[in-house]
Amino acid sequence: MIEIKVEDAREISRRKFLRRLSLWSGAFAASLVAVPFAGALLDPLLRDDTGTWRAVGRADDFVVGSTNMVVFTNTDPKPYGGVVQKTAAWLRREKEDHFIAFSANCTHLGCPVRWEEKAHLFMCPCHGGVYNQEGDVAAGPPPQPLRRYEVRIRAGNVEVKTAPVPLTDLTAAERLCDQSSNT
Amino acid sequence: MMATLKKIWHWIDDRSGITEALQPLLKHPVPPDARWSYVFGSATLFCFLLQIVTGIGLALLYQPSSADAYASLNYIMHKAPLGRILRGIHYWGASGMMIMMGVHMIRVYLTAAYKFPREMQWISGVFLLVLVAAMGFTGQVLRWDDNGVWSAIVAAEQLGRFPLIGKPLAHLLMGGTTLGAKSLSRFFSYHVFLFPGFLFLFIGLHVYLVIRNGISEPPKVGRPVDPRNYRSWYKKMLREKGQPFFPFSAWRDVVFAVATITVIVVLAVYPGAPEVTRPPDPSMLHTSPRPDWYLLWVFALFALMPAQIESFAIVIVPPLVLFLLLALPFIRNRGERHPLRRPWAIAGVACVVTFVSSLLYIGSKSPWAANFEARELPPSIVASSLPEVKEGSRLFHEKACAYCHKVKGYGGDVGPDLTHVARRLDARQLRIRIINGGHKMPAYGSSLTTEELRKIVAFLKTRK
């Protein structure tokens, strides 16, 4: 601007126009690329996870009162996913027609809790979290009871509904998914 | 022959301007008394170069797919020629980079080199700190064994504590609502493209600023920084006493970097990189995930801080620390630089170093975690022929008491050692504790029968 000696209004507006043209067309081209990039970046947020029912075994194979580890595949498996798509839960046959499926993720920081059959406790290997057989916190830092998966019985099969990795919310104090059902 | 080569070089140099561009950098004058305390920044840079070379090497052998990464890691470790050492250098190089960066940061802070006109150097350094930590974490996940996948889940859980943005952040990190097919390619992309891209950017800025503003002169008691005349004083000092960077200062950087790299390679051969653990199968629940050593202090913190403040600690502390680090050069960018005139700086560093190293130590022991490998007590330690005592000892193990309590060296460290518990507590007190539990101990009231409780107490009564 300082260099301008001839106060030519047309020259200035031409300069302004060319500057704006460069900036805006550049921004346009950048956004053309940015939108599909953002699509890839945000891909995990752009799809719903409503859960899928997975059969985990014949109901008759579970003894009343026993707690067993059951393994099932996540909602959206892909051929290139491998074993990481597997999830395990602790399934208890509470009564003849009543099953509970506990999430294996500690509500503290998500580590895998293991069921200690003789002691009737769920124990976490990371920071000392312990849950009683109801999944309620018995000791250690976990802020919430173990989450539960939905369970149903279809044609003699026990089915568990897949769910997101349970995340402990800053404000949530209640058990968010307390659905143990029967059919 | 030589003459021809020289001619070719002159042509290349003339047309490309290599000497013209590099000469001023190599020969730029630096304060003559910048000695061994100035080598840590360049050592961090050399470690980074090591990471690039070994990282490209590893990427030649690695399969960045959720299904195949684990197998390719085993290939690198056990089949590829010198693959184990290549990975060892990458692992120990990462450790070296963490340490060198930490020491460099402490040196810069203690000598207040972040003061005028080098505020931007400090700020770019803080961004580098965050990026290097992010590289360390994603690198550990790329190992894609069971430790790697559980680390990813634990990190997602931490992000998940943030209000509103927590859940989307956690799902972005995992590449979905759970770990799955898309998880690994994201970690690979972050670790290999995104973060290194930013690292190049900020390292470029960091080094450019060192050239622009000059190496900070070693501080002297009673010589404060005054932004009004610092630049002219610094210029004058360099004119009078400055030495060309190469080789008068650079030789120390080179010698120290060579020593650092040698140590890293030796460590890469022995003990080598940590062995890959079991496959990345989240349905194998009998596992005890642990982070790499440089994150053990965070791991320890989560076990030791009161559970009530935890969410706030996750949500407030990291942004606060980041803010304070970025604000540091603006809090005071002038005045005394010498640590002797800034005793609180020394005290602060001593606190942080003690805090982090204690947590690292305790994290490596993790006494808060149940010892699932605890074995039943041998008869020689039970040392009783009474059936109820023997039965009590068996129940002591079966009911998981032994996972957390030690008796004569057998068992875990979570609760008190019970070798001599009968000297402290009588039968009634023992019963109360077992039935009601405590902060770290579950209440056994509902899960033990009266008979079982009686036998366990009978066993504990013999521990005198």
Side-chain angles (χ1 to χ4, degrees):
Chain A
M1 286 294 182
I2 304 157
E3 294 296 313
I4 297 172
K5 288 181 182 133
V6 188
E7 286 291 323
D8 186 346
R10 265 182 57 204
E11 179 62 24
I12 289 173
S13 78
R14 184 175 138 82
R15 175 182 298 219
K16 215 184 233 172
F17 170 75
L18 291 178
R19 192 164 58 199
R20 285 190 182 166
L21 175 74
S22 307
L23 289 175
W24 283 108
S25 61
F28 173 69
S31 64
L32 283 183
V33 185
V35 170
F37 175 82
L41 187 71
L42 302 178
D43 168 80
L45 305 181
L46 301 177
R47 49 195 73 240
D48 289 331
D49 179 3
T50 47
T52 311
W53 289 100
R54 302 268 186 227
V56 295
R58 300 287 304 166
D60 296 340
D61 293 343
F62 298 99
V63 180
V64 174
S66 70
T67 306
N68 298 283
M69 190 177 92
V70 290
V71 178
F72 53 93
T73 307
N74 288 344
T75 297
D76 186 23
K78 298 270 185 293
Y80 48 91
V83 291
V84 77
Q85 305 178 114
K86 293 205 284 183
T87 301
W90 293 106
L91 182 75
R92 177 177 308 139
R93 188 166 197 178
E94 191 80 350
K95 287 183 219 142
E96 197 59 37
D97 58 352
H98 182 58
F99 283 82
I100 303 175
F102 294 98
S103 157
N105 291 105
C106 183
T107 59
H108 181 225
L109 287 172
C111 285
V113 298
R114 53 182 87 185
W115 169 248
E116 289 294 327
E117 177 63 43
K118 299 275 175 58
H120 285 263
L121 296 170
F122 293 99
M123 298 183 80
C124 178
C126 286
H127 300 103
V130 184
Y131 305 81
N132 65 18
Q133 61 176 344
E134 312 305 324
D136 291 321
V137 181
Q144 292 172 7
L146 284 179
R147 303 288 183 86
R148 297 177 181 193
Y149 292 98
E150 288 182 55
V151 191
R152 69 180 186 190
I153 299 167
R154 279 290 147 89
N157 283 320
V158 183
E159 294 187 351
V160 170
K161 194 178 186 186
T162 62
V165 168
L167 296 169
T168 296
D169 191 84
L170 179 64
T171 47
E174 295 303 312
R175 190 181 294 177
L176 292 182
C177 174
D178 186 3
Q179 291 144 322
S180 47
S181 62
N182 46 56
T183 313
Chain B
M1 180 63 188
M2 277 311 280
T4 321
L5 281 177
K6 237 180 192 166
K7 239 173 143 180
I8 294 173
W9 163 244
H10 280 305
W11 182 86
I12 293 173
D13 196 29
D14 177 73
R15 302 302 193 275
S16 62
I18 292 174
T19 308
E20 217 175 284
L22 287 186
Q23 193 78 351
L25 298 183
L26 288 173
K27 298 286 178 200
H28 80 282
V30 296
D33 38 6
R35 288 172 205 245
W36 288 104
S37 67
Y38 282 67
V39 297
F40 301 106
S42 64
T44 313
L45 182 62
F46 279 109
C47 285
F48 179 61
L49 297 177
L50 202 62
Q51 293 307 86
I52 296 174
V53 175
T54 51
I56 294 173
L58 287 170
L60 291 173
L61 304 169
Y62 186 75
Q63 296 294 323
S65 117
S66 281
D68 303 322
Y70 177 76
S72 73
L73 215 85
N74 273 309
Y75 173 78
I76 291 171
M77 284 298 275
H78 304 295
K79 297 252 171 66
L82 300 181
R84 195 185 72 85
I85 293 176
L86 185 69
R87 189 180 152 236
I89 300 176
H90 202 66
Y91 172 80
W92 288 104
S95 302
M97 201 166 164
M98 294 275 175
I99 293 170
M100 292 306 162
M101 182 179 66
V103 177
H104 174 59
M105 190 176 171
I106 289 173
R107 199 280 296 170
V108 167
Y109 177 67
L110 279 181
T111 59
Y114 58 81
K115 291 194 174 183
F116 181 90
R118 301 185 181 85
E119 298 97 324
M120 191 72 96
Q121 266 140 278
W122 174 267
I123 291 167
S124 56
V126 173
F127 280 98
L128 287 170
L129 172 78
V130 174
L131 284 167
V132 170
M135 286 296 276
F137 167 70
T138 48
Q140 187 195 332
V141 173
L142 285 191
R143 222 172 283 158
W144 212 238
D145 50 8
D146 73 341
N147 220 10
V149 296
W150 285 109
S151 300
I153 290 179
V154 170
E157 293 279 346
Q158 288 173 42
L159 289 176
R161 296 275 182 109
F162 280 81
L164 301 174
I165 54 167
K167 210 163 152 187
L169 282 181
H171 291 168
L172 271 181
L173 184 84
M174 291 190 292
T177 54
T178 58
L179 282 182
K182 290 180 284 183
S183 305
L184 185 71
S185 35
R186 295 187 83 84
F187 286 110
F188 183 77
S189 180
Y190 298 154
H191 186 80
V192 177
F193 300 113
L194 192 68
F195 296 156
F198 282 112
L199 271 172
F200 280 119
L201 197 70
F202 281 98
I203 289 174
L205 177 64
H206 204 66
V207 173
Y208 159 75
L209 289 169
V210 172
I211 308 279
R212 177 181 146 81
N213 293 319
I215 297 173
S216 71
E217 76 288 353
K220 214 167 114 183
V221 176
R223 191 178 61 201
V225 172
D226 182 351
R228 279 171 307 183
N229 57 19
Y230 177 82
R231 277 206 162 109
S232 55
W233 173 85
Y234 184 77
K235 249 188 202 147
K236 187 161 161 280
M237 182 268 294
L238 282 189
R239 247 199 327 273
E240 287 164 5
K241 296 194 290 181
Q243 289 180 331
F245 170 68
F246 186 84
F248 295 103
S249 181
W251 72 269
R252 285 191 189 85
D253 294 308
V254 173
V255 168
F256 187 73
V258 168
T260 305
I261 290 170
T262 309
V263 169
I264 287 172
V265 174
V266 168
L267 288 170
V269 177
Y270 186 84
E275 187 53 68
V276 282
T277 59
R278 297 186 302 168
D281 180 350
S283 73
M284 297 198 309
L285 299 179
H286 290 78
T287 183
S288 301
R290 292 287 179 274
D292 277 351
W293 72 266
Y294 41 80
L295 287 173
L296 270 177
W297 65 280
V298 183
F299 173 72
L301 203 55
F302 280 120
L304 297 176
M305 75 174 127
Q308 298 89 325
I309 65 163
E310 207 165 64
S311 288
F312 300 99
I314 294 173
V315 172
I316 293 168
V317 174
L320 184 72
V321 169
L322 197 63
F323 173 77
L324 286 177
L325 283 174
L326 289 172
L328 176 71
F330 301 104
I331 293 170
R332 191 155 168 80
N333 74 339
R334 59 188 64 213
E336 287 282 354
R337 279 187 51 207
H338 200 282
L340 288 179
R341 289 286 169 91
R342 300 167 55 249
W344 284 110
I346 301 180
V349 167
C351 283
V352 171
V353 170
T354 313
F355 181 72
V356 172
S357 47
S358 323
L359 284 174
L360 279 176
Y361 172 75
I362 200 84
S364 69
K365 303 263 171 233
S366 49
W368 51 79
N371 174 11
F372 294 108
E373 265 75 62
R375 283 177 298 143
E376 211 174 312
L377 292 177
S380 61
I381 289 179
V382 180
S384 171
S385 53
L386 292 171
E388 65 172 2
V389 172
K390 285 202 260 185
E391 188 62 7
S393 164
R394 197 184 58 75
L395 285 166
F396 184 78
H397 180 261
E398 193 176 287
K399 298 295 179 184
C401 313
Y403 289 177
C404 301
H405 293 282
K406 264 208 168 77
V407 172
K408 286 223 167 144
Y410 284 78
D413 293 315
V414 183
D417 190 318
L418 301 182
T419 309
H420 305 297
V421 68
R423 293 182 194 171
R424 307 193 294 272
L425 304 173
D426 62 25
R428 192 176 145 272
Q429 291 167 319
L430 282 168
R431 268 199 303 276
I432 290 173
R433 277 162 174 73
I434 295 171
I435 289 170
N436 294 311
H439 173 56
K440 290 196 242 169
M441 175 174 161
Y444 275 90
S446 60
S447 63
L448 289 179
T449 64
T450 320
E451 190 59 12
E452 285 170 335
L453 179 64
R454 192 180 62 76
K455 286 171 181 164
I456 291 175
V457 171
F459 160 68
L460 290 174
K461 284 271 286 169
T462 61
R463 302 297 107 192
K464 290 190 174 132

